[in-house]
């Protein structure tokens, strides 16, 4: 990656083999990656360390990815997430978006799909930050931020 600081990702999936593959591949791409095998540990992990992006499986034992997003929202913890699902289901994708997910990828997926989703997130984040800087220089940041941007990058 071109950035001076490694981007921090948290992968949460109950499938150990998938976590291991994503960890290895994303680490080789230059990301700082941590993994969890269950959703019940996400809130604590996100409270103790800052992550840029959460890759979160929807269907896990004990607590679903949707329930994790609801807990994060209830705790007022802001982290963007890309949902991973074994079902290519429009209903799940819509629910993920309603809970604040910025992406949705159905399994099985190619590693390329994950990389594209992650890089698109960082590209949009960079674009948002650039726009905020421009609006700040014209003293319009508050208007822009309150009207549009909060939806995507609070």
């Amino acid at each position: 990656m071109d950035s001076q600081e490694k981007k921090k990702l948290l992968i949460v999936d109950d499938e150990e083999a998938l976590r291991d593959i994503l960890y290895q591949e994303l680490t080789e791409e230059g990301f700082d990656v941590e993994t969890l095998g269950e959703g019940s540990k996400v809130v604590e992990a996100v409270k103790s360390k800052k992550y840029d992006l959460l890759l979160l499986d929807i269907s896990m034992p004990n607590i679903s990815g949707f329930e994790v997003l609801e807990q994060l929202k209830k705790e007022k913890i802001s982290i963007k997430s890309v949902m991973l699902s074994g079902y290519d289901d429009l209903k799940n994708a819509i629910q993920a978006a309603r809970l604040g997910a910025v992406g949705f990828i159905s399994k099985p997926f190619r590693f390329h799909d994950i990389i594209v989703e992650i890089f698109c997130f960082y590209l949009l984040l960079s674009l948002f930050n650039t726009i905020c800087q421009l609006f700040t220089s014209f003293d319009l940041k508050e208007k822009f931020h309150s009207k549009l941007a909060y939806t995507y990058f609070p």
Side-chain angles (χ1 to χ4, degrees):
M1 291 185 58
D2 297 331
S3 176
Q4 298 159 339
E5 184 180 323
K6 283 189 173 185
K7 306 298 183 192
K8 294 173 181 65
L9 306 176
L10 178 60
I11 300 169
V12 184
D13 199 303
D14 59 317
E15 295 178 46
E16 185 176 6
L18 179 61
R19 283 194 321 268
D20 291 345
I21 290 168
L22 288 175
Y23 176 87
Q24 180 180 3
E25 295 291 332
L26 291 170
T27 300
E28 288 176 11
E29 289 289 328
F31 293 97
D32 180 6
V33 181
E34 292 185 21
T35 65
L36 291 173
E38 57 186 271
S40 62
K41 297 180 180 179
V42 173
V43 172
E44 183 180 321
V46 172
K47 280 182 176 180
S48 67
K49 185 172 182 180
K50 177 156 177 25
Y51 297 96
D52 300 309
L53 188 63
L54 174 64
L55 299 177
L56 181 62
D57 186 20
I58 290 176
S59 181
M60 295 181 286
N62 302 323
I63 181 169
S64 74
F66 291 142
E67 291 169 314
V68 169
L69 290 182
E70 289 168 352
Q71 283 184 350
L72 291 168
K73 197 173 200 175
K74 184 179 179 182
E75 296 273 339
K76 297 184 181 182
I77 299 171
S78 178
I79 183 169
K80 297 305 173 191
S81 60
V82 172
M83 303 303 285
L84 309 174
S85 176
Y87 306 99
D88 189 10
D89 181 359
L90 182 59
K91 181 181 172 187
N92 280 339
I94 291 170
Q95 178 68 9
R98 284 187 178 146
L99 290 171
V102 295
F104 182 89
I105 300 173
S106 58
K107 298 176 187 176
F109 51 78
R110 297 171 300 157
F111 181 68
H112 174 78
D113 298 333
I114 295 284
I115 287 293
V116 166
E117 196 73 36
I118 291 170
F119 278 103
C120 283
F121 165 76
Y122 283 112
L123 179 64
L124 286 173
L125 183 60
S126 175
L127 180 60
F128 170 77
N129 289 334
T130 301
I131 290 170
C132 280
Q133 289 172 353
L134 289 170
F135 274 63
T136 300
S137 68
F138 292 107
D139 201 27
L140 299 171
K141 182 180 178 187
E142 287 302 317
K143 182 182 253 185
F144 170 73
H145 197 272
S146 64
K147 300 271 185 200
L148 171 68
Y150 187 77
T151 304
Y152 299 102
F153 301 105

